[in-house]
Amino acid sequence: MTDSRFRLGPTPSLALLTSIVVSLLAASSAPTPLYAVYQREWGFSPITTTVVFGVYALAVLAALLVFGRISDHVGRRPVLFAALAGQAVAMLVFARAGSVDALLTARVVQGVSTGAALGAIGAALLDIDRVRGAVANSFAPATGTATGALVSGLVVQYLPAPTRLVYLLLLAVLALQAVGVGVLAEPVRRRPGALAAMRPEIRLPRAARGPVAVAVPVLFAVWALAGFYGALAPAITATLVHSHSVVYGGLGLFVLAAAGALSVLLLRTAPTRTVMVLGVLTLIAGIAITLVSIGSGAGGTASVTGFFVGTAVAGFGFGSGFQGGIRLVVPVVEAHERAGVLSLLYVVSYLGMGVPAVVGGVLVVHGGGLLATAREYGAAVIVLAAAALAGLLLTGGRGRPAAPGRIVAVSAGGSGAGSAHGPAGAPVRAVGGPAGGRAAPREPVTAVVARTRSGERDES
């Protein structure tokens, strides 16, 4: 075993884990600009594109349900090694793909390895630093999606071996990250129950049920938007700009995800409820701008500009809504519950992304065509977002209250001198009073602060 002197410190570990999420999501969006190339070479229909897209989401879902909690038992590192190995196999299958069957195989392997990794990485980020880890959990997926879509398009457009090189480059990155995992400190002690943890079940800690009920509609709505851009945006963009350039094919998804990543950075210190409400409102506004800009599909400068402006606005809502959902839930979850709860949040997210996208693909072929489907899909996402907003306003964005008469904040340092425990044993620390004879340290602004006097509770 590697000597502990060579283990990475907290900040390098955060950077490594964040980079792995970026790579996994970049790899997942890398095929997006290539679908048009595959379609021209192999002659398949638009519905096949959405099936290839959707089977990835279903594979991620299955992996999250089966492997989502296993890192709480066997450790984070073994799961990461296995996931990176699976992802490497997927890249090799993509690079040698010569048929739709090969694409489907690669997407399934990719989805399983990504799903297995997401819960473990998300929990590991929170193990290291609860505040910075929560930001990274929100920032990294959007960054990876944006990077994969744009870089893949540029590589395919301007470099040789368009259907192979991007996957080989990702393979090299994954190999370097596997070396980094080898010197990553393991925060979890092995404990029994790994096989039992692989039985799919939906189980939430009591303290997380209220926050999850508020977060789920928002997460589903924002990821349904991501599914729209992953499945239909390349074809819509090609129609509007009258070009089949693969760079344009990935540009819509890049703008959406880049705006989402920017929103995470800009709003990381804003109150959680404000972030979620702002996210849903900008999501609705952005989709409305996009649909008006698409119009009849004739294109033109105004139409194309409006499409990308609307995409950026909607992307800001995508990032805000996802960040708010994560920030609302993770502070109330204990360390040994993190991987399972985060996996559940990703299950909701990928259901939102995969199912509507596949339905959209069917409607493109058997319904009213591309533009009619885009309008119907966009309208459906607006309805979902409006329902999520209504839920937020009705609940006030509140989770489960803490014990009456206490002002508590989730401690980024876990339990220790002066720490108490909230619902389900979540570590909390009294604010503004003594802790073990000393004043309690000032909590980060992104920690959850609960004021429960007379049943009142504020979250920041």
Side-chain angles (χ1 to χ4, degrees), residues 8 35 43 115 152 193 209 292 306 311 385 394 417 419:
L8 294 178
Y35 288 146
S152 176
R209 292 173 187 173
V292 170
T311 298
L394 288 173
S419 59

Side-chain angles (χ1 to χ4, degrees), residues 130 334-335 338 409-422 425-429:
R130 204 178 271 219
E334 288 193 87
R338 288 171 184 163
V410 176
S411 170
S415 60
S419 59
H421 286 79
V428 297
R429 184 180 296 276

Side-chain angles (χ1 to χ4, degrees), residues 112-437:
V112 170
S113 58
T114 300
L118 286 177
I121 297 173
L125 286 167
L126 296 171
D127 292 335
I128 297 168
D129 188 306
R130 204 178 271 219
V131 175
R132 290 190 294 169
V135 173
N137 269 316
S138 304
F139 175 76
T143 303
T145 301
T147 303
L150 183 64
V151 172
S152 176
L154 293 173
V155 168
V156 171
Q157 185 73 35
Y158 299 111
L159 295 180
T163 59
R164 295 185 179 184
L165 183 58
V166 65
Y167 302 120
L168 298 178
L169 292 175
L170 284 166
L171 180 63
V173 172
L174 294 169
L176 290 174
Q177 289 170 334
V179 173
V181 172
V183 292
L184 188 69
E186 176 57 73
V188 174
R189 290 185 178 180
R190 287 177 176 265
R191 59 190 182 98
L195 290 179
M198 293 173 63
R199 289 198 299 266
E201 63 178 5
I202 303 298
R203 186 174 62 183
L204 278 175
R206 184 178 299 274
R209 292 173 187 173
V212 167
V214 174
V216 159
V218 178
L219 293 175
F220 192 93
V222 299
W223 281 91
L225 177 70
F228 172 83
Y229 277 88
L232 301 180
I236 294 172
T237 307
T239 300
L240 294 179
V241 302
H242 306 295
S243 170
H244 293 288
S245 168
V246 292
V247 176
Y248 284 121
L251 193 56
L253 187 58
F254 167 77
V255 171
L256 178 87
L262 179 63
S263 74
V264 173
L265 294 179
L266 293 179
L267 300 176
R268 66 186 183 278
T269 59
T272 300
R273 182 173 181 273
T274 300
V275 172
M276 295 182 76
V277 171
L278 180 62
V280 175
L281 289 175
T282 51
L283 183 77
I284 292 172
I287 298 172
I289 295 170
T290 301
L291 294 181
V292 170
S293 301
I294 291 174
S296 64
T301 302
S303 179
V304 172
T305 302
F307 175 79
F308 285 111
V309 168
T311 298
V313 174
F316 195 90
F318 163 69
S320 303
F322 183 56
Q323 174 187 192
I326 294 292
R327 280 173 46 184
L328 185 66
V329 174
V330 295
V332 300
V333 179
E334 288 193 87
H336 69 277
E337 300 165 335
R338 288 171 184 163
V341 172
L342 282 169
S343 295
L344 176 61
L345 296 182
Y346 277 115
V347 164
V348 173
S349 300
Y350 276 91
L351 273 174
M353 182 177 71
V355 175
V358 173
V359 172
V362 173
L363 292 176
V364 168
V365 176
H366 300 292
L370 176 64
L371 296 179
T373 299
R375 286 189 284 269
E376 293 164 0
Y377 194 135
V381 174
I382 288 176
V383 171
L384 281 173
L389 179 61
L392 273 173
L393 296 177
L394 288 173
T395 61
R398 292 180 170 85
R400 187 177 179 86
R406 291 292 305 277
I407 302 174
V408 296
V410 176
S411 170
S415 60
S419 59
H421 286 79
V428 297
R429 184 180 296 276
V431 176

Side-chain angles (χ1 to χ4, degrees), residues 10-38:
T11 298
S13 296
L14 280 170
L16 172 64
L17 292 167
T18 302
S19 75
I20 294 174
V21 178
V22 170
S23 297
L24 294 177
L25 273 294
S28 75
S29 63
T32 299
L34 282 164
Y35 288 146
V37 177
Y38 295 138

